[in-house]
Amino acid sequence: MIAEKIKKTVRDVNDFPKPGIVFKDITPILKDPDLCQEILKSLAAQLADEKIDVVAGIESRGFLFGPGLAQLLNVPFIPIRKAGKLPYKTIKESYALEYGTATIEVHEDALFPGQKVLIHDDLLATGGTVVAASKLVMQLGATVAAYSFIISLDFLNGKDRLTSYEANVYSLAGY
Ligand code: AMP
């Protein structure tokens, strides 16, 4: 099972980046090309019944599998980045993280009105990041088709914050 393989490979780092957080370090996954391919195929398989026009990946770990997933789905990839990184005109959203606060941005011409967007990140924690990403998608007149994660920390109930977007939430390994 893919979930077991992911859980066996991910490294838990206690008290990173601050006390009380158990950080799920996915870098060991990247050292295993077979597992990376299986993850990409599994992410794509979960989305088989979704209509997706674009994959939006969230900086920075959403950039690891997001572009590969977009290629498998044969759709464009767009980056949602931390403030100050994108070179062209952007729109912004600020949000609270499991640890701290942040602002994310997207290029104002990244999406067309009516496009159905898959929002992808490595991990769903409180959901603050993907709520902010969803607001960016909607500000550009597009809609959220689905959410896709490698890992979800289900005990933080991040999924509950996404119900208003009426999009399915997928993950490969839940804790
Ligand atoms: P959230 O907005 O709370 O859902 O946090 C999700 C974002 O923060 C993702 O980009 C994750 O990569 C990162 N993140 C939050 N908590 C953790 C954690 N315990 N382990 C690894 N990454 C995390």
Side-chain angles (χ1 to χ4, degrees):
M1 265 271 292
I2 187 76
E4 298 317 310
K5 286 186 194 170
I6 291 169
K7 288 183 179 186
K8 258 179 29 201
T9 309
V10 162
R11 172 168 53 195
D12 283 2
V13 181
N14 289 321
D15 301 319
F16 181 87
K18 67 176 203 188
I21 304 293
V22 179
F23 193 87
K24 298 287 182 199
D25 175 17
I26 64 163
T27 61
I29 290 176
L30 303 175
K31 293 164 84 175
D32 183 339
D34 289 339
L35 181 54
C36 287
Q37 289 207 17
E38 205 177 331
I39 285 172
L40 276 178
K41 284 184 194 145
S42 302
L43 289 171
Q46 282 187 325
L47 299 164
D49 295 332
E50 300 286 350
K51 171 86 189 72
I52 293 159
D53 297 320
V54 179
V55 174
I58 298 176
E59 183 175 4
S60 52
R61 289 179 296 277
F63 295 176
L64 296 171
F65 289 91
L69 179 58
Q71 284 171 25
L72 268 186
L73 298 174
N74 202 23
V75 299
F77 174 83
I78 64 154
I80 294 179
R81 297 206 62 180
K82 288 167 187 150
K85 304 282 189 184
L86 285 168
Y88 187 59
K89 291 178 216 156
T90 63
I91 57 165
K92 302 180 200 321
E93 274 292 334
S94 294
Y95 63 102
L97 267 180
E98 191 187 5
Y99 42 83
T101 61
T103 301
I104 53 174
E105 296 184 329
V106 69
H107 276 148
E108 64 176 23
D109 63 352
L111 295 169
F112 301 112
Q115 282 189 310
K116 294 178 169 52
V117 181
L118 174 77
I119 294 180
H120 167 78
D121 202 355
D122 67 325
L123 181 143
L124 174 66
T126 66
T129 308
V130 282
V131 166
S134 306
K135 288 179 182 166
L136 290 175
V137 164
M138 294 182 76
Q139 271 192 65
L140 294 178
T143 56
V144 182
Y147 299 92
S148 163
F149 306 92
I150 298 168
I151 295 167
S152 55
L153 303 184
D154 298 329
F155 59 89
L156 293 173
N157 300 315
K159 228 175 155 173
D160 296 349
R161 295 180 60 185
L162 303 177
T163 48
S164 62
Y165 297 98
E166 291 175 0
N168 289 324
V169 182
Y170 299 95
S171 88
L172 297 179
Y175 289 82

